[in-house]
Amino acid sequence: MKYLFAFTLFIYSSIASASSLSENKEVIPNAPVYSDDTMWYVSKNDTAGTGADVFYIVSTWEFDWTTADGQKCHYADVWNKKHRDHMAIEQKKVAGYMADGNNFYAPYYRHISLDSWATLNEDTIHRRALLAMGDVKKAFDYFLAHRDNSHPLVVAGFSQGGMAVVELLKYMDDETYRHLAAAYVLGYKVTAQDTTICKHIIAAKDSADVGVTICYNSVKDVKYIQPIIGSTVMCINPVNWRTDATPAVIKDTITVTMSPEHNVLVLTNYSASEYKPILGILNVGDIHGCEPWLYSECLKKNINLRIRKWKENNPH
């Protein structure tokens, strides 16, 4: 009888274990195919051949969603037009200023969900983000293989897209980096480990240095820094391009001051009421939603300045 009991227990444990594995298995949407034009938002405005190629990675747009067969998915589905349309809202708005005289390329990718970020669990986020970052790297490879590499390169991304910029800088070979005018990490962090393992991550010191990384996050007070996205070792004020506490004014009334102690932008006289809280973690004291928009005119001028400086340093 004891052998029958032990065997029954073994079978039950095996079934329970298999059930647990099944429950924990993530639903993965089909991978993008970057030779398909459907997988890109493109805006070409370099008609004279004097601009740059801008590679932009969009932020997080999807919450967890349920598939047709009732399974929860933590990733955007690039083959779902609704998901692509969401991403295109941001891509189109950013292209409105980054594509000024430049060619703008933004891939759709299987970004991880807002609910994934809301776990505030670095292990969960980075484990799931491996898939998203893999898509971005494949898109970048395709982009590099088909671009005119005599042109300067700008890489930029917001939020999860900022994470992707950091990962691309690590992935980038020296020849590609040689063409980099600048990389823009908007609303995400660069860690000490990132700078240690990647020689291509060099903090911008002013408005015109090239081959550098521009990084910033905005808050109403340093107590609202969100470590999951904003605990960073570098920051520059995109209004006056200073790395000290010299304040700058934008939109006539908003004061932007960089805190050298915390590497964050502190904004005063700005309600940021247009950015609604997301899952109780974003736009709650921090002003995460403003990063590509509040400073858009500053970024537009700066991107084109760094492109010009890169060309001066690399005459043909």
Side-chain angles (χ1 to χ4, degrees), residues 145-195:
H146 292 84
R147 87 179 197 98
D148 181 346
N149 64 8
S150 67
H151 295 171
L153 171 66
V154 172
V155 179
F158 168 42
S159 193
Q160 186 168 171
M163 171 195 273
V165 171
V166 174
E167 295 308 309
L168 284 181
L169 288 166
K170 297 175 187 175
Y171 180 68
M172 192 178 290
D173 61 32
D174 291 346
E175 178 60 20
T176 302
Y177 173 72
R178 189 176 70 80
H179 291 86
L180 184 71
Y184 292 79
V185 178
L186 312 181
Y188 192 67
K189 61 189 176 185
V190 175
T191 68
Q193 183 181 21
D194 292 331
T195 61

Side-chain angles (χ1 to χ4, degrees), residues 119-135:
T119 66
L120 301 181
N121 184 304
E122 293 268 11
D123 290 338
T124 297
I125 290 167
H126 286 284
R127 175 176 57 79
R128 291 179 182 170
L130 287 173
L131 180 78
M133 299 302 105
D135 284 355

